[in-house]
Amino acid sequence: MDKIVSLCKRRGIIFPSSEIYGGIGSSYDYGHYGVLLKNNVKAQWWRALLQERDDVVALDSAIIQHPRTWEASGHLAGFTDPLVDCRTCKRRYRADKLEDGQCGEKPSKCPGQGPNCDLTESRNFNLMFQTTVGPVQDEGSTVFLRPETAQGIFLNFKHYLQFARKKPPFGIAQVGKSFRNEITPGNFVFRMREFEQMEMEFFVPPREAEQWYEFWKQARYDWYLKLGIREDHLRLRPHDPDELSHYSSGTSDVEYLYPIGWQELEGIANRGNFDLTQHAEFSKQNLEYVDTASGERYLPHVIEPAAGADRATLAFLCDAYDEDQIDGETRTVLRLHPALAPVKAAVLPLVKKDNQPELAREILFDLRERIQVEYDECDAIVRRYRRQDEIGTPWSITVDHQSIEDRTVTVRDRDSLTQERIAISDLAGELERRLRAPWRSPKLGSD
Ligand code: ATP
């Protein structure tokens, strides 16, 4: 993880937030390449749900919702983690994750195991951030920053039956920030207090719930594989009965083998009709679906695939990170799926003269109509290749002396390191063909 954190900082992908004030615990900013990378992750998620299907529609709901939302959803009463304080070092820990914590005095020990540890009894700590709306701070103005995007979807279910003219089975998908006052955030962007989620609620007739649960578990697992995550680093783990929420008849996590071990990347839950039942009761609205043809009426059951955009981005980064040896030097390379790579191609004149920059810019302007490209003329060509390798650019296009004579360029492949000469007129078509081609991590078979 240290190597990934350091690469992310060096190349401005992700770095600690508010650094000029000494940072603010476990808060991160995404720089230029990080924004491009995370945007690609989110775009692939939207693509899989919206573009490649016709039964899912999109939503972007407000972060601050009516406070009754969180009473109905159960978050106000139950969205808690068990908290303990250490009376000696004054630190706070999650009582159920003491094995992941460090004693404040003896960091090699877990909390509770140091000679002077003096832990309090555990008590429940609500993870929702509270604030007030409007200029008067009284009880009536208390609101919460959403701890998940899902509830905004349930609040709008009725609208979508009308606007979107959808009937179950159909899904509503949303991407956006969520906020949790985590007791022990950490492990880079794995656990933050402010993070981005990609969630979908798929509303189905009750009798079809089990079948759709099975469908979405597989579909979401396959999404990560298709985007290049190695199969031996990905697994679907069904929750044990004692891990399930009282309303869920089944939940499975897609887990990734991060450098910190197997951890949740996404949860897929069969939530029954718990959420719609609760919101119907608290809002006094009828949220049933009525089939106009058959007259059948029911509260749909819900299958929820809930993913984290930051955790997914981190998994793609971990899976892509590699080092190899070229000419006796260690090269750091991100072997990202081309669809996720922040920059698809770099256009590099070999020298800063002889009309090469002019031709390189002509190529740049043509390519950027279609894909994310970057121009770089500073430093020796090998150093420029290394910079592109570090941000995972799959192809580097070099304009050289021959390019001026015959309008061809070389295309260097990040992974195989082959250089192929291609006519400038064929370049855009060739790169688009490569971008669409199925892709397999070159790390497969080598570990
Ligand atoms: P965990 O058990 O790790 O706290 P969770 O089961 O509470 O996660 P969910 O409520 O199912 O998580 O949220 C769905 C997804 O949102 C998670 O799979 C994860 O990818 C992401 N997520 C949840 N909490 C955080 C966080 N604090 N920082 C970054 N991503 C998060």
Side-chain angles (χ1 to χ4, degrees), residues 180 182 190-192 195 197 264-266 306-308 311:
R180 296 181 188 179
E182 299 275 3
F190 180 82
R191 188 178 301 285
M192 297 185 289
F195 55 97
Q197 290 189 306
E264 174 180 337
L265 186 53
E266 167 162 356
R311 276 193 200 175

Side-chain angles (χ1 to χ4, degrees), residues 9 13 47 63 81 98 139 147 186 242 244 257 284 317 342 417 430 443-444:
K9 182 150 195 211
I13 301 173
R47 183 191 165 99
I63 285 175
D81 276 340
L98 289 179
E139 216 176 285
D242 61 340
L244 290 178
L257 184 54
K284 310 269 182 283
L317 279 169
L417 296 173
E430 172 60 16
K443 287 170 83 179
L444 276 167

Side-chain angles (χ1 to χ4, degrees), residues 23-24 39 69 109 117-118 125 127 148 185 190 202 224 228 262 294 301 361-362 371 387 394 400 409 426:
I24 171 163
N39 274 351
T69 306
K109 303 252 181 220
C117 291
D118 183 10
F125 173 75
L127 300 183
E148 60 172 38
F190 180 82
F202 200 74
Y224 294 98
W262 285 103
S294 68
H301 283 210
R361 285 200 178 274
E362 183 189 319
I371 52 177
R387 279 206 289 268
D400 57 13
V409 285
D426 294 339

